[in-house]
Amino acid sequence: MIGSAVPRKEDAALLTGRGTFVDDIHRPGLLHMVYVHSGEAHALITRIDADAARALPGVVGVWTAKDFAELPARPSVPGLERSYLAGDKVHYVGEPVAVVVATDRYLAADAARAVRVEYEPLPVMATVADALAPDAVPIFAPLESNLALEQQVTPHDVADELDASPHRLRARLVNQRCAGAPLEPYGVLADWTGAGPTIWATVQAPHRVRAEIAERFGLARHLVRVIAPDVGGAFGVKSSFMPELFLAPELSRRLSRPVKFVETRGEHMVHTYHGRDQIQEVEVGFDDEGTILALDVTLTVNTGGVPDPVGIALATLTSYMLGGCYRIPKIAARFRSVVTNTTPTASYRGAGRPEASFLIERVVDLVARRLGKDPADVRRVNLVQPGEMPYQTPFEGIVYDEADYPAALDLLLSRLDYAGLREEQERRRADPGAKLLGVGLSTFVEMGGFGPTPLFEQFGYIGGWESANVRLQPDGSAIILVGTAPHGQGHQTALAQIAADELGVPFDAISVLYGDTAVVQEGIGTMGSRGMPVAGNAVRQAAADVAAKARLIAAHMLEAEGDDLVRVDAGFQVKGVPTAEVSLAAVAERSFKPHLLPAGTGLGLECTSYYEPSNLSYPSGAHGCVVEIDRDTGHVHVLRYVCVDDCGTVINPMTARGQIHGGVAQGIAQALYEKVSFDADGRPLAASLEDYMVPGMLDLPSYETHHIETKSSFNPLGAKGLGEAGATAAPQAVVNAVVDALAHLGVRDVEMPCTPERVWKAMHHAS
């Protein structure tokens, strides 16, 4: 089954409207919770008047920060703890200052609007520059300044190497702020009964959420049940701890009724964590051939009004991946995380790695332009070669697994007809009436298969392993319990394919269950492209152990040695004796008959495995984008987008393509459309999808996808992960194409998003 493009098990329910999302779940006596959000970016709270709200029909109550003073603080960076609601002051527009509970969601919303909050304005610092200015006041009380974290990632500098380089250049690059904008916004339903709280939530790691809720409320973990039902997209923004995860259970406990919170799209845009928002200052030294000799990078991250425990240190991952696919002998890196009066930032698809890929791929193009060389040639000069794999990067512990970067680039150039595109580009430049043509390349590598426990512990997880339980039923069907909690990736399908091959059970006779802490053994969760490299190997390992025991029982039934059996479609057969055969269903049924089992054999065919990866995996590839630009308007149209990806073993080509398509769509969106911005008073300028430019179907091209399968030696399946590759590869492919179309005018950079206005100004200012 591995390698087969079988239809997804998940799709039938979702396509017929029979999926179960948090807002589909109803409990007797259900109440609804709505926030009162701050309309100020930075201000003292002088008074909250909720009398009018409490008097409205159907309103059960209104609570402010002081009402939750006895609750331990939200999970945070030690020393930077925060409350569930704003207390004495607010730090950004959208910060919750009060919570209303009513018998109806719309009554609760009306009551929230009736709450009157009085503020005493404080100076607003909506940009990093403002927050770091000499006269800036500290925004977040535990900090003495707005510099939340400053980290020297490498112990050395590269001043000598830069001085010795024949050429050097500097650049300032910007990864703008983006919103996750999943199809389903954040949602929580809590029902605290005498047995303890049950929480349905749109989360990526149910067991981790259970652990935090248990700790905050002083409960044993077995008393807390967390269920992640169908989750309509997450993209990292559902991996952080939102206050509703704790407020909904607390209010349910106080009111002895279930309480539901489902945010609106407008709330999502100002309340849920944003991503990216990184300024990159880089200096590179290189020789006449374009060989990169040294790289010096300073990263500045806007963490928003309250530092998130993950967001504050995400630039560590950016630093580790600064070298990209290239053999760069010396890299110096440092970063600083800065508090501003904006919505907090944290994980967003790729979480730090797309920023690194954008930086190095823009740098390679800048080097090529400086030397007058083709960007493809400069890439070839610098690419790590297959014979150097596994490749030790300049960062200790960051070792790339097997890949063939030059082969991926060559395949991409062939599929693009690169030489033909260059000829077409020159023809269009000579014709004043023709649209300009640009070709952008992106040879990339990123971290996937997030694991080894020492790394994952740093981000607050109990470990970096993953678990799987494989259980064969008496009729030969199988049930798999897996510790990941997917939100669109297709784990039910791919993990069933892996188990089918190991067990010999038909694909349709396998069920995959996940996302319920009362049913599934301890697990870690879904993030960091770890589904196949980590969870897939846990399933493979457990299924292999079950298959070995099944072979032992079958041999006993056939009065043969285990080594004398071969697998057939229906079960096992003695080599060379077609009539000596037993079905897997018969073996499974026999496993529950103790008096008929081999001596010392336990009942049942079941195994739980915990797979700990030995290293991260490193998906890679080469993407190419072809754009045309209208000379009169600056409008950018993506003509073609070609992907060559190496994710190691491809479990299901159809779902692999889907993951690439989704990631590339988000990457193109960042390059051309999306940006969360604020005015000088810290007010969001894109607080709804009327203002935030999420592309639609007609804005995106048909993708051309190709695969190279270089198996990783870091895990038995040879898989590397794929969920974040498209988002890691695409932004710079598009921007490189835009700049390439304008390069003959002297344009060297266009900041994302490359809107028609920005492109038009770049063209006309340059000329």
Side-chain angles (χ1 to χ4, degrees), residues 107 146 183 311 525 535 540:
L107 291 175
N146 293 320
L183 213 62
R540 186 210 64 80

Side-chain angles (χ1 to χ4, degrees), residues 27-116:
R27 304 288 288 173
L30 181 65
L31 298 173
H32 295 265
M33 164 184 150
V34 170
Y35 284 125
V36 177
H37 293 279
S38 168
E40 298 291 329
H42 196 204
L44 297 175
I45 300 173
T46 59
R47 184 168 179 263
I48 299 177
D49 182 0
D51 290 345
R54 291 190 178 99
L56 290 174
V59 173
V60 176
V62 181
W63 292 263
T64 62
K66 69 179 188 305
D67 298 309
F68 301 108
E70 75 279 8
L71 281 181
R74 285 171 61 182
S76 187
V77 181
L80 300 181
E81 286 79 10
R82 63 183 294 194
S83 58
Y84 298 92
L85 300 173
D88 297 331
K89 76 169 188 173
V90 294
H91 308 84
Y92 57 93
V93 171
E95 184 172 11
V97 298
V99 62
V100 177
V101 174
T103 55
D104 177 270
R105 182 175 179 178
Y106 302 101
L107 291 175
D110 289 342
R113 283 191 287 271
V115 175
R116 296 288 174 256

Side-chain angles (χ1 to χ4, degrees), residues 154 156-159 161-162 165 169-171 173 281-286 292-298 318-319 321-324 326 328-334 356 359-364 367 394-395:
T154 52
H156 54 267
D157 63 35
V158 291
E161 287 80 5
L162 289 172
S165 298
L169 63 79
R170 292 183 177 180
L173 304 168
E281 296 170 275
V282 56
E283 185 169 10
V284 58
F286 52 99
I292 298 175
L293 305 173
L295 196 64
D296 186 79
V297 177
T298 299
T318 305
S319 301
M321 298 305 297
L322 285 171
Y326 308 112
I328 303 176
K330 293 286 185 179
I331 300 176
R334 65 206 63 83
L359 182 150
I360 190 60
E361 288 303 289
R362 289 292 298 122
V363 163
V364 170
V367 167
F395 297 92

Side-chain angles (χ1 to χ4, degrees), residues 741-764:
L742 309 177
H744 65 296
L745 302 174
V747 175
R748 291 294 175 264
D749 189 38
V750 178
E751 190 174 306
M752 296 189 293
C754 300
T755 61
E757 179 184 14
R758 281 184 173 169
V759 173
W760 189 91
K761 285 181 176 179
M763 281 193 293
H764 288 269

Side-chain angles (χ1 to χ4, degrees), residues 664-748:
V664 169
Q666 284 180 284
I668 292 175
Q670 182 179 359
L672 297 181
Y673 302 106
E674 297 186 22
K675 182 181 181 181
V676 175
S677 55
F678 301 84
D679 66 15
D681 295 321
R683 300 187 188 282
L685 299 177
S688 74
L689 294 185
E690 291 180 325
D691 308 303
Y692 188 73
M693 297 293 289
V694 175
M697 182 177 66
L698 298 179
D699 299 308
L700 299 168
S702 294
Y703 310 111
E704 303 168 45
T705 56
H706 309 278
H707 277 286
I708 290 178
E709 287 195 44
T710 311
K711 292 188 176 183
S712 172
S713 63
F714 292 171
N715 65 77
L717 273 177
K720 301 179 183 178
L722 187 62
E724 295 158 300
T728 301
Q732 60 271 12
V734 179
V735 173
N736 283 343
V738 170
V739 174
D740 181 68
L742 309 177
H744 65 296
L745 302 174
V747 175
R748 291 294 175 264

Side-chain angles (χ1 to χ4, degrees), residues 6 27 106 131 264 276 344 396 488 701 752:
V6 296
R27 304 288 288 173
Y106 302 101
T264 65
R276 311 288 191 254
E396 184 178 354
M752 296 189 293

